[in-house]
């Protein structure tokens, strides 16, 4: 097929020129197939999201039924569809909030942008237009729209001249990487909390609209927070009257072994950002779920301003909402969160064993999300030179062997679907071990 008109996102194009793309045309359970009929175990659940099985019959039936009944409609100007109402109720029911409001978007990025605009809207109504700075962490990932990219704490957004003003950073709680020689994990977490407080005090709490955090940093390389990090930072945010927004785009709906990453880490968010598993990859859909306090303020502000002047044409699409209700029901009824928890010892135990290999610096994760970070020198944790493209090399070789895993800088990310079986985890690790041995041998020879 002629792929010359495709503009690929987040793709190493030089590398792609030598390999060519993988063109997919079929999927079954946790497997995808390319146009040559080759079968791959998808160790990345699509992009963290296809967790109930690519061909779940209830999902397909739900989409067919909804397309027949009402194929599409917006949810603005006081119009709403039944599936959108059902999904708002379902989300409040499964959220940590007793009461709240839900706003629909088409993606996680748009949900983050929406949450920022909600905070700005509320603060401006309260006569605090200067309370608009947004704090996120270095290495965090919140999306690609101009707002969400400004929130994302990765250096690659420099090429766009981002972040915009008012988007500021605090430290990344990755103990293995940033802990000082001889520093305990507890002291490290205290230092991270102190860094956040220093940022708040330097900027002025009265200028800060919100702090956004992923319970586990996903696209930053699967970085679970250091011990007690969230326990230490929450009182600081409370003291300074700064809302905590949990970006649950990856963690939400079971990935960490609980329905929310916020449950796993005892986070009490003021607002939740959801997407990805919400439709198990069957439809683009994101949601902002506002808790009790923010809801009260929003209602006041919206009445005063007549409207919340924001909304997407396809936000709250009835097919997407019907699929989301179905996906959440499947996750709950088929006990998929329990399956994540059941598989965790096998998944994490198997991952940890890779730390015995010569170039694996850290194996980390939780639930069914994990990463292996490769280093040139295990003692000093010196990374490989970027030009060696270690992540790409491993992922490309694994793909030849029928395993999809993802390179993220020097790390390899694994996040299999929630329907994964123990046998599939065995396949994943056997294949990855073979792959790593071959790649490590190659680099030793070329050195
Ligand atoms: N937040 C987090 C934590 C994410 O991982 C992502 C996507 N990987 C996003 C936001 C952005 O979501 P989307 O790609 O749907 O815009």
């Amino acid at each position: 097929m002629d792929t010359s008109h495709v503009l690929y996102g987040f793709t190493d194009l030089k590398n792609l020129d030598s390999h060519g793309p993988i063109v997919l045309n079929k999927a079954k359970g946790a497997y995808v197939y390319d146009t040559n009929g080759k079968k791959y175990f998808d160790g990345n659940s699509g992009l963290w999201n296809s967790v109930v099985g690519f061909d779940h019959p209830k999902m397909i039936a739900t989409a067919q039924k909804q397309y027949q009944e009402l194929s599409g409609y917006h949810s603005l100007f006081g119009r709403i569809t039944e599936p959108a109402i059902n999904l708002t109720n379902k989300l409040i029911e499964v959220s940590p909030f007793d009461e709240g409001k839900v706003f629909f978007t088409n993606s996680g990025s748009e949900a983050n942008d929406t949450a920022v605009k909600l905070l700005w809207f509320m603060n401006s109504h309260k006569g605090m237009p200067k309370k608009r700075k947004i704090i996120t962490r270095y290495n965090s990932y919140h999306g690609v729209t101009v707002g969400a990219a400004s929130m994302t704490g990765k250096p690659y957004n420099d090429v766009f001249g981002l972040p915009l003003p008012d988007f500021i950073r605090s430290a990344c709680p990755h103990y293995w990487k940033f802990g000082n020689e001889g520093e305990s994990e507890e002291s490290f977490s205290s230092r991270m909390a102190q860094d956040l407080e220093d940022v708040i005090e330097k900027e002025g709490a009265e200028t800060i609209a919100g702090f956004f955090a992923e319970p586990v940093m996903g696209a930053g390389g699967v970085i679970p927070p250091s011990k007690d990090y969230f326990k230490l930072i929450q009182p600081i945010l409370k003291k300074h009257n700064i809302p905590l927004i949990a970006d649950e785009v990856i963690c939400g709906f079971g990935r960490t072994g609980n329905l929310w990453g916020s449950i796993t880490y005892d986070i009490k968010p003021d607002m939740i950002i959801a997407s990805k598993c919400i439709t198990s990859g069957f439809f683009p859909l994101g949601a902002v779920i506002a808790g009790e306090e923010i809801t009260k303020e929003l209602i006041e502000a919206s009445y005063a301003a007549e409207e919340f002047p924001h909304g997407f044409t396809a936000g709250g699409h009835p097919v997407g909402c019907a699929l989301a209700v179905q996906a959440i029901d499947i996750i709950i009824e088929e006990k998929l969160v329990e399956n994540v928890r059941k598989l965790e010892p096998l998944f994490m135990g198997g991952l940890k064993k890779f730390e015995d290999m010569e170039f694996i610096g850290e194996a980390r994760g939780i639930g069914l999300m994990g990463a292996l970070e490769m280093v040139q020198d295990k003692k000093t944790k010196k990374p490989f030179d970027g030009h060696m493209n270690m992540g790409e090399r491993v992922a490309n070789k694994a793909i030849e062997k029928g395993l999809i895993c993802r390179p993220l800088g020097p790390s390899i990310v694994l996040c299999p679907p929630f329907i994964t079986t123990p046998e599939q985890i065995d396949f994943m690790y056997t294949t990855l071990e073979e792959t790593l041995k071959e790649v490590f041998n190659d680099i030793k020879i070329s050195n």
Side-chain angles (χ1 to χ4, degrees), residues 10 47-48 106-112 140-145 148 152 213-220 247-251 273 275-276 285-286 406:
F10 287 118
L47 199 50
W48 308 89
N106 309 298
S107 68
S109 303
E110 290 170 353
N112 274 315
S140 63
Y141 185 90
H142 297 286
V144 294
T145 47
T152 293
E214 304 157 80
V216 179
M217 288 180 173
D247 184 342
E248 295 260 9
V249 167
I250 281 180
C251 296
I273 308 300
S275 191
K276 292 210 191 269
L285 193 145
R406 173 176 172 207

Side-chain angles (χ1 to χ4, degrees), residues 164-375:
L164 295 176
D166 294 330
F167 290 85
I168 51 184
R169 308 274 184 258
S170 65
C172 167
H174 186 181
Y175 176 56
W176 173 79
K177 189 163 275 178
F178 301 117
N180 291 330
E181 185 88 37
E183 187 179 35
S184 70
E185 189 164 351
E186 286 81 358
S187 322
F188 172 76
S189 294
S190 302
R191 183 157 65 82
M192 294 298 98
Q194 187 58 51
D195 176 88
L196 176 61
E197 186 143 36
D198 291 347
V199 171
I200 294 169
E201 283 171 357
K202 177 173 161 264
E203 299 289 335
E206 71 289 353
T207 69
I208 298 167
F211 172 79
F212 284 68
E214 304 157 80
V216 179
M217 288 180 173
V222 187
I223 305 168
S226 55
K227 193 162 179 284
D228 289 343
Y229 170 79
F230 280 107
K231 189 172 150 198
L232 292 170
I233 65 159
Q234 292 185 88
I236 296 174
L237 295 167
K238 267 242 147 15
K239 178 169 98 188
H240 292 286
N241 206 12
I242 297 172
L244 166 56
I245 298 94
D247 184 342
E248 295 260 9
V249 167
I250 281 180
C251 296
F253 305 103
R255 183 55 76 189
T256 64
N258 287 295
L259 208 51
W260 303 101
S262 292
I263 297 175
T264 303
Y265 293 103
D266 202 12
I267 302 169
K268 304 268 177 294
D270 295 288
M271 206 159 23
I272 284 178
I273 308 300
S275 191
K276 292 210 191 269
C277 300
I278 199 170
T279 59
S280 191
F282 277 73
F283 206 89
L285 193 145
V288 178
I289 311 170
E292 293 90 337
E293 269 311 301
I294 293 203
T295 293
K296 263 193 251 149
E297 293 188 18
L298 269 176
I299 293 174
E300 265 179 40
S302 303
Y303 271 93
E306 255 176 50
E307 62 175 15
F308 172 48
H310 179 80
F312 301 95
T313 303
H317 193 289
V319 177
C321 291
L323 281 166
V325 171
Q326 183 60 261
I328 297 168
D329 282 347
I330 290 170
I331 288 171
I332 292 169
E333 284 161 16
E334 298 185 7
K335 301 203 179 321
L336 296 185
V337 185
E338 285 83 343
N339 196 45
V340 171
R341 235 178 320 199
K342 209 164 76 196
L343 288 175
E344 185 177 15
L346 189 63
F347 178 73
M348 282 309 300
L351 196 72
K352 276 280 169 201
K353 284 197 196 134
F354 285 96
E355 281 186 350
D356 295 338
M357 292 184 89
E358 191 175 351
F359 297 112
I360 300 296
E362 187 185 39
R364 55 177 177 260
I366 187 166
L368 272 189
M369 62 195 294
L372 295 176
E373 182 151 343
M374 292 176 278
V375 286

Side-chain angles (χ1 to χ4, degrees), residues 16-32:
L16 189 72
D17 283 344
S18 62
H19 281 263
I22 293 172
V23 184
L24 301 168
N25 65 356
K26 213 171 77 175
K28 236 179 175 7
Y31 296 94
V32 291

